[in-house]
Amino acid sequence: MKLKKQVTVCGAAIFCVAVFSLYLMLDRVQHDPARHQSGGNFPRSQISVLQNRIEQLEQLLEENHEIISHIKDSVLELTAHAEGQPALPQHPLNGSWVLPPENRPSFLSVSPQDCQFALGGKGQSPDLQMLAVYSLLPFDNQDGGVWKQGFDITYEPNEWDTEPLQVFVVPHSHNDPGWIKTFDKYYYDQTQHILNSMVLKMQEDPRRRFIWSEISFFSKWWDNISAQKRAAVRRLVGNGQLEMVTGGWVMADEANSHYFAMIDQLIEGHQWLEKNIGVTPRSGWAVDPFGYSSTMPYLLKRSNLTAMLIQRVHYAIKKHFAATQNLEFMWRQTWDPDTSTDILCHMMPFYSYDVPHTCGPDPKICCQFDFKRLPGGRINCPWKVPPRAITDANVAERAQLLLDQYRKKSKLYRSKVLLVPLGDDFRYDKPQEWDAQFLNYQRIFDFLNSRPDLHVQAQFGTLSDYFDALYKKVGIVPGMRPPGFPVLTGDFFSYADREDHYWTGYFTSRPFYKSLDRVLEAHLRGAEILYSLALAHSRRAGADGRYPLSDYALLTNARRNLGLFQHHDAIAGTAKEAVAVDYGVRLLQSLTNLKRVIINAAHYLVLGDKDTYHYDPAAPFLGMDETRSSQDSLPERTVVKLGTSPRFLVVFNPLEQERLSVVPVLVDSPHVRVLSEEGQPLPSQLSAVWNSATDAVPDVYQVSVLARLPALGLRVLQLHKALDGHAAPGSSTRLYLHGRDVPVRKPEALPLHVFPAAADDFCLENQHLQACFLGRTGLLQSLRPAGEEQAHRVSSEFLVYGTRTSKDKSGAYLFLPDGEAKPYAPKDPPVVRVMEGPLYSEVASYYQHVQTVVRLYNVPGVEGLSLDVSCLVDIRDHINKELALRFSTDIESDDTFFTDLNGFQIQPRRYQRKLPLQANFYPMPAMAYIQDMQSRLTLLTAQALGVSSLHSGQLEVILDRRLMQDDNRGLGQGLKDNKRTCNRFRLLLERRSTANKSSGFFSKLVSMFKALSFPGTRTGSPEVQDERPISFPSLLSHITSVHQNAEALVMPVALEKPALPALRSFVPLATTLPCDFHILNLRTLQAEDDSLPSAEAALILHRKGFDCSLEAKNLGFNCTTSQGKLALGGLFQGLELGSLQPTSLTLMYPLGTASNSTNIHLDPMEIATFRIRLG
């Protein structure tokens, strides 16, 4: 009681101080003439000054209101803490459940300095902003003559008299690690022969050059060649004949891939190159991804690459950039206040990266210089004019013809240095092709170079030879901005290669594997971190001899399988069916192996007495949380059998923040209670498990427990069979059959009420949110945040897109709908099941092709602030249909919406009415949102899918697509291998505090005066007025996203006997990380023997950019922000930081010298890598 009084007095004192400070501020506003002018650009009319002052007053009032409400909340929480209330849910008379208040403060204060970043406004404007370019272009697709999608190029013959044209012909072979054939089949049939011939043929003439990018293939070949051949390769790389470009494990897809996996495959490739060849890539090469994300130039720049090349960009943008000589530009991040993220990017101008489309604008002529197509070969020129071998008799005429193309192409660029790629898919696989290309081209070069009057210097080159020559020509250091070159911000989605053929279908194609990709990624990150911690702790205890170091090989294999799947025909869903199965088998094998790595690490870390640790591969200490029977099946969760002895669970939280989560466990008895490791009862809920809408699984129950899980740590829980009435409280269920005659199997021990008709409309609510549903469909209708009078319309519906009847139809790549979507009309009405319980309530709607579950958690903090939405989709009986989920709201978003790029950054989008429907879809790997002045609605996703906003207030996502035909892009198949797929989302409604600044009565009055005085000014979404193309999620949105993507893993202790060693929860972090810091990875580096770990690890951190203008009360995360400062020295409990070396992203270059200080600083949005030793 004494404590309660102290807390109350303290709270009252703070309240008085706040009120007094408010009084002083108001006084200052009235007497400080400088503040009257703070509007800067306001006209000096009385109305404007009045409005300005009122807005300032309201802002100050609002800030004080916030402070006071936070104080109030925290006083209440402290009081609750002082009274020590039991943490079990209570059931009041009205039937809804109430959780007691949290027994610790959960209010978050963000430093004002950390809010400045999202406001932007520093730095200069770019010359080219892609949103503005889209608004500018007519997209009229006029016939350009020989260059169909371009224009006629002319030049004066004497243009090169003072400065000769320098031509670099760059031989390349594009090797897909899986597409028409599997990775291994391609390797054995083609790739190994390409690389073997390369070693042989490059040594014949030192003027020959070749580039290679896919390290997945290169490493496989390396493992199979002799030491002599390896030495020859190192010589070729050393003397500049062979260049490794980009150096990633694959040439990654940039639409669907998540930034963790993009970075991981880059590190895997770069580490392999450094270890085996001793080389660091300098230039990026991405000729085949179907559109480009601005995340990739950031990652390449952070890896110390100085230039990059792209090819598959919308033909209208290519034409526009060519006409304005903007095909080479400095690509900059939208948030960059200076030039630190700039990287030189070269965009290829023509239709394809094959030989007919790379020498110049006329494919009919260029094809004549693809000497693989000489008469008598297997491929010819579609333009009906074959190549001719170069002889002394024809070299003058042939060289002149080719030079004309080179000159025309060079007119599209600013410099007199020209890049001419020479290659195609799986080229140079036979020695004859090497001879045909290299000998004939060398004859042309020799002729051109011998004629000074032609003013041309032509040679074979690598990609970096080209960029080096370009930098030398303009006289600056590689990596700097060449004079006059434009700065560009934005991305290159969505891609069309001709007509209205938009490559927006692959944003969703094969969603089952897109989902499995993210499950594997979360497991890889979790396994890397836990393995690194277990290894460091075992070394410190001198027990590393008993720890299974062999797990490192499993980690390497998983990195490589996840890396392989980032390939632009893998995660994209654009490979043949058999190849998709091969990827699936690899993903599942790695997923199973990673669960083993996590189990072995967790086993060691939770043992109270580490000396009792014994690794037995035949009898793992912990069981797996779930299993998958095959690569294309959904997971089946493990059922824990309860007996007379308690069963122990170890729960792993892969997040770097402590979390309060509802942890689900399947058990074989309804009589269960859950205790902490100390034996304290924990809040829990018992629910039935359902096979179908009306069929409860016998003898299986889900007990959901509310547990506080330590950051990156392991929590030990106990399950007891409860025989004395202390069992977990049950949930009650209502089943609405909607007039359908279906058999019902009721769950034992839990109440079920069956209603033959449809339900009336109904609502679920928790302390943060009320969600209302339509009775006859069970679909969401509205959301009302706590404290708001008015509900927001947020209604969901399912829709179906068909495909065209004309010759060009949708396929794996293309989305070619037959018009707007039509409502999904199943033959039967849905069965709706409503379950209510103390920890969560949910509504399940069972339709013929989709089952949707909307869940509302009744818990404090992050999980209770958003809706959990999942859709189990099965469209295997559809023909040429795509299923979409659309949310319609009263948010006045106009034509603006926002989608993420690779889970790393947000890109504002604008619905373009001048473009077809399919052009307005974009990739959504992690989230999309719409907003107006008052609200923001965010859809967070656990898997990459295609998204759009086709009308104001709408957000829609394509869930799955089943297409019966090929779309003529080389695959030769439709998409008919659909699986039962579970798509998981979170729906988050946030209030924007900008709304308050103009919502006061006087402000409204002034606005009316202004409208009368200055008619015609446009009101609407702030994005229309504010053309800065930059936006950030809120901190709550970021944390909700990581909660969704890194679920807690529940591992039952396998031993059912009572003779268990003592287990202790593992808390690895000594301090709380700032809210905006994300540990992307803690990746143990390989030793000399690459199957074993070294003593070093890579710590990769990301400081997230966030928007402070979104309000939320009781966020429930106990962290704050720190202006980017972090002390790593004392971060890991029980471990010392032996060394700390900042490096480039992929660890190839040390940045500065390793200092004794362990304090680091990151700018917002920065990703930084440190080479560390823990022990």
Side-chain angles (χ1 to χ4, degrees):
M1 207 54 207
K2 195 173 176 188
L3 178 60
K4 187 177 178 182
K5 277 180 185 168
Q6 287 173 347
V7 168
T8 311
V9 169
C10 173
I14 299 169
F15 183 83
C16 293
V17 169
V19 171
F20 184 62
S21 64
L22 173 65
Y23 170 75
L24 288 176
M25 280 191 268
L26 294 181
D27 196 48
R28 218 172 90 218
V29 170
Q30 284 167 342
H31 295 105
D32 183 359
R35 284 189 79 102
H36 296 182
Q37 305 304 325
S38 67
N41 55 2
F42 273 83
R44 290 180 176 274
S45 71
Q46 285 302 303
I47 289 174
S48 295
V49 172
L50 175 67
Q51 184 191 27
N52 204 20
R53 286 178 63 181
I54 289 169
E55 283 184 353
Q56 286 165 1
L57 283 165
E58 285 183 339
Q59 191 172 348
L60 291 167
L61 277 164
E62 185 202 341
E63 284 167 6
N64 271 271
H65 175 70
E66 284 291 298
I67 293 165
I68 290 163
S69 66
H70 277 321
I71 291 165
K72 199 170 111 190
D73 289 348
S74 93
V75 167
L76 284 171
E77 284 168 347
L78 285 165
T79 310
H81 181 43
E83 288 173 356
Q85 286 175 299
L88 288 171
Q90 294 144 15
H91 195 294
L93 295 174
N94 68 0
S96 65
W97 295 87
V98 177
L99 268 181
E102 263 286 82
N103 64 355
R104 55 168 81 193
S106 65
F107 88 75
L108 158 102
S109 62
V110 173
S111 155
Q113 298 99 297
D114 288 328
C115 294
Q116 289 305 308
F117 174 71
L119 303 173
K122 301 176 193 148
Q124 314 140 310
S125 297
D127 307 289
L128 301 166
Q129 205 291 309
M130 288 311 299
L131 256 184
V133 170
Y134 259 80
S135 301
L136 182 79
L137 293 184
F139 294 95
D140 52 359
N141 194 20
Q142 293 180 355
D143 190 329
V146 292
W147 176 19
K148 230 56 208 127
Q149 297 169 328
F151 46 84
D152 199 29
I153 306 170
T154 57
Y155 62 87
E156 299 299 324
N158 60 358
E159 283 188 44
W160 292 272
D161 287 5
T162 54
E163 196 183 349
L165 183 63
Q166 211 178 341
V167 181
F168 289 92
V169 173
V170 180
H172 69 98
S173 179
H174 179 65
N175 283 236
D176 288 305
W179 181 40
I180 305 301
K181 302 177 185 178
T182 64
F183 174 78
D184 286 337
K185 186 100 172 82
Y186 270 139
Y187 174 78
Y188 290 115
D189 289 358
Q190 282 143 298
T191 306
Q192 62 169 338
H193 305 303
I194 296 168
L195 292 168
N196 286 332
S197 308
M198 182 266 299
V199 179
L200 206 64
K201 290 293 174 184
M202 296 282 279
Q203 293 181 93
E204 290 179 6
D205 187 339
R207 296 173 293 180
R208 294 180 177 179
R209 298 286 183 273
F210 195 63
I211 62 170
W212 189 268
S213 72
E214 298 83 9
I215 305 304
S216 48
F217 274 131
F218 203 87
S219 67
K220 187 177 175 72
W221 173 66
W222 189 263
D223 291 344
N224 288 300
I225 60 174
S226 64
Q228 188 183 0
K229 207 176 255 188
R230 288 180 180 183
V233 171
R234 288 192 186 103
R235 276 197 306 278
L236 290 170
V237 170
N239 68 18
Q241 283 186 263
L242 170 64
E243 183 185 12
M244 311 308 284
V245 286
T246 309
W249 202 244
V250 295
M251 187 184 290
D253 173 43
E254 300 189 19
N256 303 293
S257 51
H258 192 260
Y259 76 124
F260 172 94
M262 291 170 82
I263 292 169
D264 207 63
Q265 63 87 27
L266 210 52
I267 292 176
E268 195 58 34
H270 285 189
Q271 289 293 294
W272 188 92
L273 283 172
E274 186 178 49
K275 186 170 178 292
N276 292 284
I277 305 180
V279 66
T280 55
R282 296 174 50 213
S283 304
W285 173 264
V287 289
D288 204 25
F290 327 132
Y292 297 93
S293 161
S294 46
T295 304
M296 191 56 101
Y298 178 75
L299 301 182
L300 297 181
K301 174 76 174 187
R302 297 293 298 175
S303 304
N304 259 29
L305 277 74
T306 51
M308 61 183 293
L309 171 145
I310 60 176
Q311 148 62 25
R312 288 192 184 269
V313 172
H314 194 299
Y315 61 86
I317 292 171
K318 285 190 174 217
K319 177 181 177 176
H320 174 65
F321 280 17
T324 51
Q325 284 192 325
N326 284 334
L327 289 164
E328 286 180 324
F329 49 85
M330 300 305 285
W331 199 344
R332 180 178 298 170
Q333 299 306 310
T334 47
W335 70 81
D336 184 4
D338 47 44
T339 61
S340 64
T341 61
D342 288 14
I343 184 170
L344 177 65
C345 182
H346 172 103
M347 184 190 292
M348 291 168 61
F350 306 125
Y351 173 74
S352 166
Y353 55 81
D354 62 8
V355 184
H357 296 96
T358 44
C359 91
D362 191 343
K364 182 178 179 179
I365 292 172
C366 291
C367 195
Q368 298 171 45
F369 295 90
D370 182 359
F371 296 104
K372 182 175 178 158
R373 302 182 196 239
L374 284 164
R378 284 174 55 196
I379 55 169
N380 52 29
C381 283
W383 295 269
K384 304 285 189 281
V385 185
R388 284 182 279 159
I390 305 300
T391 63
D392 290 344
N394 70 8
V395 67
E397 177 265 325
R398 297 271 87 193
Q400 286 280 10
L401 186 64
L402 185 57
L403 178 59
D404 176 60
Q405 290 297 306
Y406 287 170
R407 284 173 169 173
K408 284 176 174 165
K409 183 176 180 179
S410 103
K411 288 288 290 176
L412 306 179
Y413 293 89
R414 289 172 190 252
S415 84
K416 298 282 199 288
V417 187
L418 181 66
L419 172 65
V420 181
L422 181 70
D424 202 343
D425 292 2
F426 295 96
R427 282 300 189 90
Y428 301 98
D429 61 341
K430 293 188 172 57
Q432 298 89 307
E433 185 184 353
W434 285 87
D435 291 341
Q437 303 284 30
F438 280 92
L439 295 172
N440 282 300
Y441 267 96
Q442 196 59 58
R443 286 178 195 130
I444 293 172
F445 297 161
D446 290 346
F447 174 80
L448 292 173
N449 298 343
S450 69
R451 292 276 304 276
D453 58 311
L454 294 177
H455 304 288
V456 62
Q457 171 71 41
Q459 65 205 69
F460 292 115
T462 62
L463 185 59
S464 290
D465 286 341
Y466 166 73
F467 284 123
D468 287 345
L470 172 64
Y471 277 117
K472 191 175 173 186
K473 188 80 106 179
V474 297
I476 57 168
V477 182
M480 301 304 288
R481 178 181 174 186
F485 277 43
V487 171
L488 175 143
T489 63
D491 68 337
F492 295 100
F493 291 116
S494 292
Y495 168 58
D497 57 348
R498 56 179 190 253
E499 297 151 31
D500 59 355
H501 292 193
Y502 283 84
W503 297 44
T504 50
Y506 83 98
F507 301 156
T508 292
S509 297
R510 294 199 172 107
F512 179 90
Y513 295 108
K514 285 176 162 67
S515 175
L516 184 56
D517 161 80
R518 291 281 272 281
V519 173
L520 180 63
E521 177 184 298
H523 277 75
L524 177 58
R525 179 180 165 276
E528 294 272 19
I529 292 170
L530 215 54
Y531 176 84
S532 296
L533 292 172
L535 193 60
H537 279 281
S538 67
R539 279 185 175 138
R540 191 169 173 85
D544 49 329
R546 291 181 288 130
Y547 193 80
L549 300 180
S550 55
D551 278 3
Y552 191 75
L554 301 180
L555 276 177
T556 301
N557 178 258
R559 293 166 180 171
R560 293 178 173 185
N561 281 336
L562 180 69
L564 185 70
F565 196 66
Q566 303 316 303
H567 162 55
H568 56 263
D569 287 306
I571 191 171
T574 54
K576 281 209 183 278
E577 287 176 16
V579 180
V581 169
D582 182 62
Y583 289 134
V585 167
R586 289 168 186 267
L587 295 177
L588 179 58
Q589 175 204 14
S590 286
L591 183 60
T592 309
N593 285 342
L594 290 173
K595 286 186 184 290
R596 250 179 242 151
V597 174
I598 290 170
I599 283 167
N600 291 338
H603 176 195
Y604 179 80
L605 292 168
V606 294
L607 282 179
D609 179 1
K610 304 286 189 251
D611 292 340
T612 62
Y613 177 74
H614 170 65
Y615 167 63
D616 181 357
F621 182 71
L622 299 168
M624 292 186 185
D625 57 326
E626 59 183 33
T627 53
R628 293 179 185 243
S629 55
S630 67
Q631 57 86 25
D632 60 354
S633 60
L634 290 168
E636 290 169 31
R637 286 159 54 209
T638 304
V639 180
V640 179
K641 294 185 167 45
L642 299 177
T644 49
S645 307
R647 290 296 306 269
F648 287 86
L649 303 173
V650 175
V651 186
F652 172 41
N653 170 22
L655 298 189
E656 60 282 296
Q657 298 292 350
E658 178 186 82
R659 76 204 269 181
L660 183 67
S661 278
V662 176
V663 178
V665 187
L666 296 189
V667 290
D668 65 347
S669 163
H671 309 292
V672 59
R673 56 198 294 240
V674 188
L675 308 179
S676 67
E677 67 187 290
E678 301 83 15
Q680 294 298 312
L682 293 171
S684 57
Q685 166 179 331
L686 193 72
S687 321
V689 177
W690 298 86
N691 271 326
S692 71
T694 56
D695 181 27
V697 181
D699 305 322
V700 177
Y701 300 87
Q702 176 169 301
V703 60
S704 303
V705 54
L706 184 63
R708 191 170 286 285
L709 306 175
L712 298 177
L714 301 159
R715 174 94 191 259
V716 178
L717 304 176
Q718 310 179 39
L719 294 179
H720 288 251
K721 199 154 190 177
L723 303 170
D724 52 1
H726 289 295
S731 52
S732 68
T733 304
R734 306 191 301 276
L735 191 59
Y736 298 94
L737 300 181
H738 215 125
R740 290 169 63 178
D741 183 19
V742 281
V744 176
R745 175 158 54 175
K746 295 190 175 187
E748 295 163 36
L750 285 168
L752 173 71
H753 307 284
V754 181
F755 301 87
D760 295 327
D761 295 356
F762 60 94
C763 301
L764 300 176
E765 67 181 300
N766 65 12
Q767 69 223 63
H768 306 299
L769 199 58
Q770 182 192 62
C772 296
F773 299 82
L774 212 55
R776 58 189 168 78
T777 63
L779 297 180
L780 184 65
Q781 279 300 99
S782 67
L783 287 175
R784 184 174 63 79
E788 290 195 21
E789 307 255 314
Q790 202 62 40
H792 295 259
R793 182 168 82 93
V794 182
S795 62
S796 62
E797 61 182 319
F798 292 103
L799 302 156
V800 176
Y801 284 97
T803 189
R804 296 182 177 177
T805 49
S806 64
K807 64 180 193 329
D808 296 311
K809 293 183 169 64
S810 298
Y813 302 92
L814 306 183
F815 179 34
L816 294 170
D818 58 355
E820 295 212 351
K822 295 169 182 63
Y824 167 63
K827 63 176 198 288
D828 294 311
V831 171
V832 176
R833 197 176 62 233
V834 183
M835 187 274 285
E836 291 187 77
L839 293 185
Y840 70 89
S841 301
E842 67 180 28
V843 181
S845 305
Y846 283 76
Y847 290 90
Q848 188 183 349
H849 303 98
V850 58
Q851 301 163 22
T852 176
V853 178
V854 179
R855 180 178 291 186
L856 182 62
Y857 286 100
N858 186 26
V859 299
V862 178
E863 302 223 334
L865 286 160
S866 59
L867 278 183
D868 187 303
V869 181
S870 63
C871 299
L872 184 61
V873 177
D874 184 355
I875 56 167
R876 286 175 293 183
D877 64 350
H878 271 143
I879 291 176
N880 275 332
K881 296 280 190 286
E882 313 198 18
L883 186 68
L885 169 62
R886 178 183 292 168
F887 295 95
S888 301
T889 74
D890 47 20
I891 292 172
E892 295 172 7
S893 57
D894 289 356
D895 55 2
T896 302
F897 60 110
F898 302 80
T899 67
D900 77 294
L901 290 168
N902 317 101
F904 174 60
Q905 59 182 320
I906 298 294
Q907 179 63 51
R909 307 290 183 193
R910 195 154 286 152
Y911 177 76
Q912 299 284 351
R913 285 174 181 78
K914 61 189 168 188
L915 293 178
L917 182 145
Q918 65 269 21
N920 287 291
F921 275 80
Y922 292 93
M924 176 183 63
M927 68 175 77
Y929 52 83
I930 52 173
Q931 65 185 27
D932 58 17
M933 295 294 260
Q934 275 74 37
S935 311
R936 175 185 290 184
L937 181 76
T938 307
L939 181 68
L940 300 118
T941 176
Q943 59 287 307
L945 296 166
V947 74
S948 189
S949 173
L950 301 176
H951 296 281
S952 182
Q954 283 186 3
L955 206 49
E956 76 175 69
V957 56
I958 308 283
L959 298 174
D960 199 1
R961 41 204 321 260
R962 182 170 174 83
L963 301 158
M964 313 316 285
Q965 62 283 314
D966 180 47
D967 50 9
N968 300 309
R969 292 305 183 277
L971 180 60
Q973 277 185 351
L975 282 178
K976 304 181 202 170
D977 57 346
N978 304 72
K979 324 285 180 207
R980 286 178 76 238
T981 299
C982 187
N983 292 313
R984 292 175 35 246
F985 308 101
R986 283 277 175 103
L987 200 60
L988 175 64
L989 181 65
E990 295 173 286
R991 181 180 172 80
R992 298 186 76 198
S993 60
T994 47
N996 292 358
K997 310 257 162 75
S998 60
S999 60
F1001 171 73
F1002 288 112
S1003 294
K1004 284 180 178 156
L1005 203 62
V1006 173
S1007 299
M1008 282 164 61
F1009 272 121
K1010 275 184 80 175
L1012 291 170
S1013 317
F1014 312 105
T1017 55
R1018 172 161 186 182
T1019 58
S1021 69
E1023 290 63 46
V1024 177
Q1025 300 159 7
D1026 174 8
E1027 286 299 325
R1028 257 185 320 108
I1030 186 164
S1031 187
F1032 297 94
S1034 65
L1035 264 180
L1036 174 60
S1037 183
H1038 276 307
I1039 292 178
T1040 304
S1041 182
V1042 292
H1043 268 239
Q1044 185 182 27
N1045 282 282
E1047 294 187 304
L1049 289 183
V1050 184
M1051 298 166 280
V1053 175
L1055 295 167
E1056 296 176 36
K1057 304 179 200 63
L1060 265 183
L1063 303 181
R1064 210 170 290 145
S1065 291
F1066 169 63
V1067 181
L1069 300 186
T1071 55
T1072 303
L1073 240 65
C1075 292
D1076 52 349
F1077 271 71
H1078 174 49
I1079 297 181
L1080 256 176
N1081 211 343
L1082 179 61
R1083 184 188 213 261
T1084 298
L1085 301 173
Q1086 63 185 24
E1088 273 311 300
D1089 173 353
D1090 60 11
S1091 66
L1092 290 174
S1094 72
E1096 292 187 317
L1099 174 65
I1100 308 175
L1101 299 173
H1102 173 208
R1103 184 179 171 204
K1104 299 189 170 186
F1106 61 91
D1107 185 343
C1108 293
S1109 73
L1110 295 129
E1111 297 174 0
K1113 303 274 192 314
N1114 301 322
L1115 289 172
F1117 32 89
N1118 305 302
C1119 55
T1120 181
T1121 58
S1122 61
Q1123 293 84 64
K1125 295 193 274 290
L1126 178 62
L1128 286 175
L1131 184 61
F1132 296 100
Q1133 198 153 271
L1135 293 173
E1136 280 174 26
L1137 193 61
S1139 65
L1140 175 73
Q1141 169 67 63
T1143 70
S1144 59
L1145 180 64
T1146 58
L1147 299 110
M1148 303 286 259
Y1149 300 88
L1151 303 176
T1153 51
S1155 70
N1156 292 333
S1157 169
T1158 55
N1159 297 331
I1160 61 159
H1161 175 267
L1162 264 63
D1163 288 324
M1165 291 304 292
E1166 186 180 353
I1167 300 175
T1169 302
F1170 302 89
R1171 190 187 285 268
I1172 66 169
R1173 274 173 191 266
L1174 281 177

